[in-house]
């Protein structure tokens, strides 16, 4: 069996793709995703070549957007996903449940799921949280690169010691309405508080293993070991500085240079612009083998039922060699099959684990 054959039989469910925000940021007329655009990692021909069966589209809002501006932006991003499905009805179908995602895959569509990246987008309102759920948003990442008023981020100075009392209310309300708690981007203390609070399985939609690459955005082993008790899934990302030690060390030097210049490494736009003009060392490359190392570590610590994939395409400027765009997933599964992963285990990794978490959230609301 090849990776392509596997993904024709089993839906690949990717946890995180930033195409909606990338489209918002592009200059000029909207690109034709049916024809493709070299400025993007994602288009319809490459999604088909990659065997993508369902995609959680990130309805991302930068943490610099605060208050009502953040709420407006997240609703606009939700609408953008619906507009894409209307524009390309032969390829994309918006789905809001696991059963709908499975049916879309069977019928030949790419299921379009929505995930809100950044709890600041609800502006401290459980009513906004419930409204996003009614619009079809199925997960919310509790923070992005900065703390919210109720949760600590992995890349900000701690304020709450994890979740505040209101943060625990947010998690409980997400459980009640069937919205998955996404723990990518959050501080270790927030991860542990959320796991203590939640009554439903969680996702890390685009994080990797701290023991393999020491980056605060990755998941420590004690949290990975807690996933079987929760039923959750760590969806390993392809972001080079999260999966490659060499790139992580380079990124640490970039952060130091930015700090010396009075710039904030947590600001993604500022980071990319600074890196483009920086006279420091050239960024090393990451590889498929780096990603495989994280997948195998998560499988070893958490178990095969608790690992998935969240590429973060169109959310970062570079990707590992062989995984440069969304057409690369079959190459990753070829590498895993060559290393002795069974078709059954690859099927769980590809999408069955993530769909199980989504089914559990669906049942909680039923």
């Amino acid at each position: 069996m090849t990776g392509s054959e596997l993904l024709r039989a089993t839906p690949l469910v990717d946890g995180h793709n930033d195409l909606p925000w990338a489209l918002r940021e592009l200059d000029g007329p909207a690109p034709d995703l049916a024809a493709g655009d070299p400025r993007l990692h994602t288009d319809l021909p490459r999604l088909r070549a990659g065997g993508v069966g369902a995609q959680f589209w990130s309805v991302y809002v930068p943490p610099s957007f605060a208050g009502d501006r953040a709420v407006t932006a997240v609703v606009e991003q939700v609408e953008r996903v619906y507009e894409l499905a209307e524009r390309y009805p032969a390829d994309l179908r918006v789905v809001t449940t696991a059963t709908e995602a499975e049916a879309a895959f069977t019928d030949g569509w790419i299921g379009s799921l929505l995930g809100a990246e950044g709890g600041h987008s609800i502006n401290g309102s459980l009513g906004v949280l419930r409204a996003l759920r009614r619009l079809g948003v199925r997960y919310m990442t509790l923070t992005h690169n900065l703390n919210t008023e109720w949760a600590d981020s992995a890349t900000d100075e701690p304020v709450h010691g994890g979740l505040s009392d209101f943060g625990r209310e947010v998690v409980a309300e997400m459980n009640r309405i069937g919205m998955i708690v996404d723990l990518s981007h959050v501080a270790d203390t927030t991860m542990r508080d959320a796991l203590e609070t939640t009554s439903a399985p969680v996702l890390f939609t685009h994080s990797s293993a701290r023991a393999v690459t020491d980056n605060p955005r990755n998941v420590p082993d004690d949290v990975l070991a807690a996933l079987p008790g929760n039923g959750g899934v760590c969806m390993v990302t392809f972001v080079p500085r999260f999966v490659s030690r060499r790139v992580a060390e380079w990124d640490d030097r970039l952060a130091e240079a930015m700090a010396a210049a009075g710039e904030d490494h947590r600001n993604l736009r500022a980071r990319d612009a600074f890196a483009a003009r920086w006279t420091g060392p050239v960024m090393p490359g990451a590889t498929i083998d780096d990603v495989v190392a994280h997948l195998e570590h998560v499988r070893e610590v958490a178990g095969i039922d608790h690992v998935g994939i969240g590429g973060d395409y169109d959310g970062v400027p570079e990707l590992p060699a062989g995984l440069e765009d969304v057409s690369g997933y079959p190459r990753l599964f070829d590498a895993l099959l060559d290393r002795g992963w069974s078709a059954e285990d690859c099927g769980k990794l590809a999408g069955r684990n993530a769909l199980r978490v989504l089914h559990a959230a669906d049942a909680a609301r039923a």
Side-chain angles (χ1 to χ4, degrees):
M1 173 177 283
T2 67
S4 292
E5 290 168 342
L6 178 95
L7 297 179
R8 284 196 291 270
T10 301
L12 173 71
V13 182
D14 181 278
H16 193 89
N17 184 304
D18 278 302
L19 176 65
W21 190 262
L23 292 172
R24 181 177 177 133
E25 292 282 275
L26 284 180
D27 295 328
D32 181 1
L33 296 184
D37 189 308
R39 297 173 295 174
L40 299 169
H41 300 142
T42 309
D43 56 43
L44 297 174
R46 287 183 286 180
L47 285 168
R48 293 297 192 182
V52 177
Q55 178 66 64
F56 278 101
W57 302 110
S58 171
V59 289
Y60 163 71
V61 176
S64 59
F65 285 36
D68 293 344
R69 185 187 184 201
V71 176
T72 298
V74 75
V75 173
E76 290 172 346
Q77 291 302 97
V78 169
E79 178 60 19
R80 187 179 302 273
V81 174
Y82 279 93
E83 289 172 352
L84 286 173
E86 291 174 356
R87 185 175 180 185
Y88 303 105
D91 294 284
L92 302 178
R93 177 193 285 179
V94 173
V95 295
T96 60
T97 69
T99 298
E100 289 177 358
E102 291 163 342
F105 174 74
T106 299
D107 293 341
W109 276 280
I110 299 165
S112 291
L113 294 148
L114 295 98
E117 186 178 20
H120 60 290
S121 63
I122 66 170
N123 193 22
S125 167
L126 295 181
V128 172
L129 179 73
R130 289 189 285 268
L132 290 178
R133 177 65 184 88
R134 291 183 191 275
L135 290 173
V137 175
R138 294 313 315 270
Y139 73 66
M140 184 174 73
T141 320
L142 299 188
T143 73
H144 191 251
N145 284 346
L146 302 179
N147 300 334
T148 66
E149 294 180 354
W150 43 270
D152 284 341
S153 167
T155 49
D156 203 351
E157 293 299 319
V159 172
H160 311 290
L163 287 174
S164 71
D165 289 343
F166 180 70
R168 293 177 184 273
E169 288 184 45
V170 171
V171 169
E173 184 66 3
M174 292 175 72
N175 291 163
R176 188 187 72 82
I177 64 178
M179 186 182 283
I180 299 166
V181 175
D182 175 21
L183 298 180
S184 285
H185 278 286
V186 307
D188 296 0
T189 50
T190 305
M191 297 177 193
R192 296 179 185 117
D193 281 356
L195 287 169
E196 288 177 359
T197 303
T198 186
S199 60
V202 302
L203 289 175
F204 290 84
T205 61
H206 56 307
S207 296
S208 295
R210 181 89 54 85
V212 181
T213 304
D214 187 9
N215 185 292
R217 274 282 284 104
N218 288 339
V219 187
D221 275 1
D222 70 294
V223 175
L224 291 176
L227 287 181
N230 167 262
V233 173
C234 177
M235 306 180 83
V236 169
T237 192
F238 302 162
V239 179
R241 68 183 184 278
F242 300 162
V243 298
S244 164
R245 286 191 179 100
R246 292 175 63 237
V247 179
E249 290 167 357
W250 174 90
D251 192 58
D252 288 342
R253 294 186 64 179
L254 177 70
E256 292 169 0
M258 290 186 70
E263 297 202 44
D264 189 348
H265 184 262
R266 299 167 303 182
N267 183 314
L268 300 184
R269 182 180 290 179
R271 183 194 301 169
D272 292 345
F274 188 92
R277 65 179 186 270
W278 188 36
T279 58
V282 175
M283 177 180 171
T287 68
I288 284 180
D289 287 343
D290 291 321
V291 176
V292 168
H294 285 266
L295 292 169
E296 294 196 322
H297 186 83
V298 175
R299 181 180 65 166
E300 178 182 351
V301 176
I304 188 56
D305 294 321
H306 305 284
V307 59
I309 293 173
D312 206 0
Y313 284 109
D314 285 303
V316 291
E318 294 89 15
L319 279 301
L323 297 172
E324 293 90 349
D325 58 54
V326 295
S327 69
Y329 297 104
R331 288 190 286 274
L332 176 61
F333 283 91
D334 284 337
L336 295 171
L337 292 164
D338 288 345
R339 290 178 66 91
W341 282 53
S342 69
E344 174 68 16
D345 284 358
C346 285
K348 290 183 176 183
L349 167 69
R352 290 208 295 273
N353 290 339
L355 287 171
R356 172 179 50 76
V357 171
L358 187 56
H359 273 297
D362 294 342
R365 195 185 188 199

